[in-house]
Amino acid sequence: ATTAAAATTTTTTAPPVVCAPPDTHPIACRNLTGGIALHPRVVAIVVDASQGLGCQLLFLIRFFFLTQKFDLTPYAELVSDRAYRSTSPDHTHNFLRYAFDPCGLTESERVVAADRVACGRASRQRADRPLGLARALHAHTVAANLTFHRKPLIYLPASFAVGANLFRKFLRITPTVAANAEDFWAKSALGTSEGCTVAVHYRGLDKMTDGKYQEAERVPYERVLKLCARLVTAKNCTTVFVASDETPFIDLAKRWWGKNSGVSLVVAPQATRAACDPKAGCTTLHLHEQSDNYRKTREAVVTMILLSKCKYMIKTPSLFSAFAAMLNPRIQASLTHRGLKYAREYPERIMPLTGDYLKSIGA
């Protein structure tokens, strides 16, 4: 009888969880029937993406982390009419979909979530104001008749591994952008570095210039390159990968590791960098060549991938390169100095200082 009962038992297969293909045009509002009642645990938000890419990714990790704590499924779109405008008709305002595909949802869940966004029923957030997430989750759970546990919220994970797992679960770098990075790696000296590559990321200008929005103290070029040289010598590495928004830093790195240094220097494939003039100084990258910001997005994500593929990384304060480290939790990354704004913020608060790291390896 037991065998007969088992034979008649049918198992239902859950819909596959997939990564959605890229959207090339805005989704029209269809007012799908069922809506939030059909998938009450799917939370859709729209993020005003006027801040830097690192800040936006930090906000998404926070969103993913909170929704997982409350057994919800996240769906987000990053939208900006100002910072990511493009003249191409194939580029929508949802620039996130240009470089990343949303994952972790069934096709039905994704369609319903995207429709909520298109119909203006998704909560709109700012990437630099994370406290709005708690209110958005509370509003969603009330609307969906779910229980919202009112307890102290831990807004961010405590390790790179947790953040990396969240990133991989809900976002996938688009195949086209990933292929661009792999092609550059294979054709450059990075592809023949035998696994010992030191990455250097120098973020300057709006990050470290004096003024109202200064996020970190400025560090001399020479100090960063000397730290890198110590690491190269200690680990016998033969390849250095340099990424920076400041052309003068790139130029100094080229002179530093000249033809007779025994080190191959590879520069990040950025066609656009800050415009610098000896008298007027440099123009922030965000404000330079505004008309082609989709190209900047592609270059930024490609650079992020290349940084993550290196074995070691020395970086100035920047959430951008911090998330490069998150793409590869095994990378040995360190900070030249603590920033003013994100010193206590994940993920940089759990990253060691370069000086301390070099001492720990006897360099």
Side-chain angles (χ1 to χ4, degrees):
T2 304
T3 305
T8 57
T9 301
T10 58
T11 57
T12 57
T13 303
V17 176
V18 298
C19 295
D23 293 329
T24 56
H25 295 285
I27 299 175
C29 175
R30 292 181 288 172
N31 281 312
L32 296 177
T33 57
I36 196 171
L38 183 62
H39 294 295
R41 293 199 173 276
V42 176
V43 182
I45 65 171
V46 178
V47 183
D48 179 358
S50 298
Q51 289 73 37
L53 180 62
C55 181
Q56 295 156 26
L57 292 177
L58 175 65
F59 188 88
L60 290 181
I61 292 295
R62 195 187 302 267
F63 177 50
F64 299 156
F65 186 68
L66 279 177
T67 52
Q68 294 300 279
K69 284 178 63 67
F70 299 112
D71 194 25
L72 301 171
T73 302
Y75 177 87
E77 293 191 2
L78 297 179
V79 179
S80 177
D81 296 331
R82 178 180 66 83
Y84 290 90
R85 63 176 180 265
S86 172
T87 56
S88 172
D90 292 331
H91 292 161
T92 70
H93 291 301
N94 182 8
F95 96 96
L96 174 72
R97 300 302 307 280
Y98 180 69
F100 301 96
D101 294 332
C103 301
L105 293 85
T106 65
E107 180 62 18
S108 176
E109 289 173 335
R110 186 188 69 84
V111 169
V112 168
D115 190 66
R116 286 180 57 79
V117 172
C119 296
R121 294 195 297 269
S123 173
R124 193 172 184 93
Q125 301 284 320
R126 280 182 58 94
D128 59 346
R129 297 176 185 175
L131 290 178
L133 274 179
R135 292 191 292 269
L137 292 180
H138 180 255
H140 175 87
T141 53
V142 169
N145 294 317
L146 300 174
T147 301
F148 184 83
H149 302 284
R150 289 187 175 275
K151 59 182 180 181
L153 296 179
I154 302 174
Y155 283 104
L156 288 166
S159 71
F160 273 108
V162 173
N165 289 336
L166 288 170
F167 192 96
R168 294 191 188 98
K169 183 175 182 179
F170 295 113
L171 285 179
R172 178 189 67 179
I173 296 173
T174 56
T176 299
V177 174
N180 288 341
E182 293 297 332
D183 183 64
F184 182 88
W185 182 278
K187 292 180 179 178
S188 70
L190 297 170
T192 59
S193 60
E194 299 182 354
C196 190
T197 300
V198 178
V200 181
H201 180 231
Y202 188 96
R203 172 72 185 275
L205 294 173
D206 59 325
K207 179 68 66 172
M208 294 194 292
T209 51
D210 294 330
K212 181 179 179 181
Y213 301 106
Q214 183 183 9
E215 297 180 10
E217 294 178 350
R218 191 167 188 83
V219 58
Y221 294 163
E222 291 80 3
R223 177 186 168 190
V224 177
L225 294 176
K226 285 180 180 178
L227 291 171
C228 180
R230 286 172 59 187
L231 181 56
V232 168
T233 301
K235 296 297 182 178
N236 294 316
C237 292
T238 58
T239 307
V240 173
F241 175 65
V242 176
S244 179
D245 56 345
E246 293 196 5
T247 304
F249 180 79
I250 299 291
D251 294 338
L252 180 59
K254 290 179 179 178
R255 296 193 298 271
W256 193 284
W257 284 289
K259 295 181 179 180
N260 299 321
S261 67
V263 174
S264 298
L265 180 70
V266 180
V267 179
Q270 288 179 244
T272 306
R273 287 194 176 85
C276 294
D277 180 86
K279 295 183 179 179
C282 298
T283 301
T284 300
L285 182 59
H286 296 123
L287 305 178
H288 184 46
E289 295 187 13
Q290 281 274 353
S291 62
D292 204 359
N293 281 303
Y294 270 77
R295 185 182 71 182
K296 292 182 196 175
T297 301
R298 181 183 68 251
E299 292 174 351
V301 178
V302 166
T303 298
M304 184 181 289
I305 296 172
L306 295 173
L307 287 168
S308 74
K309 288 170 67 65
C310 297
K311 187 171 183 178
Y312 308 97
M313 180 165 62
I314 293 175
K315 60 186 291 305
T316 58
S318 169
L319 288 175
F320 171 79
S321 48
F323 275 91
M326 187 176 294
L327 292 179
N328 175 18
R330 294 185 300 276
I331 192 173
Q332 297 184 43
S334 61
L335 269 172
T336 57
H337 61 299
R338 300 291 178 193
L340 302 175
K341 184 174 182 180
Y342 295 107
R344 300 181 182 277
E345 189 66 275
Y346 176 89
E348 290 202 335
R349 63 178 168 81
I350 58 177
M351 193 175 288
L353 292 174
T354 303
D356 295 337
Y357 170 73
L358 291 175
K359 290 178 181 179
S360 71
I361 63 172

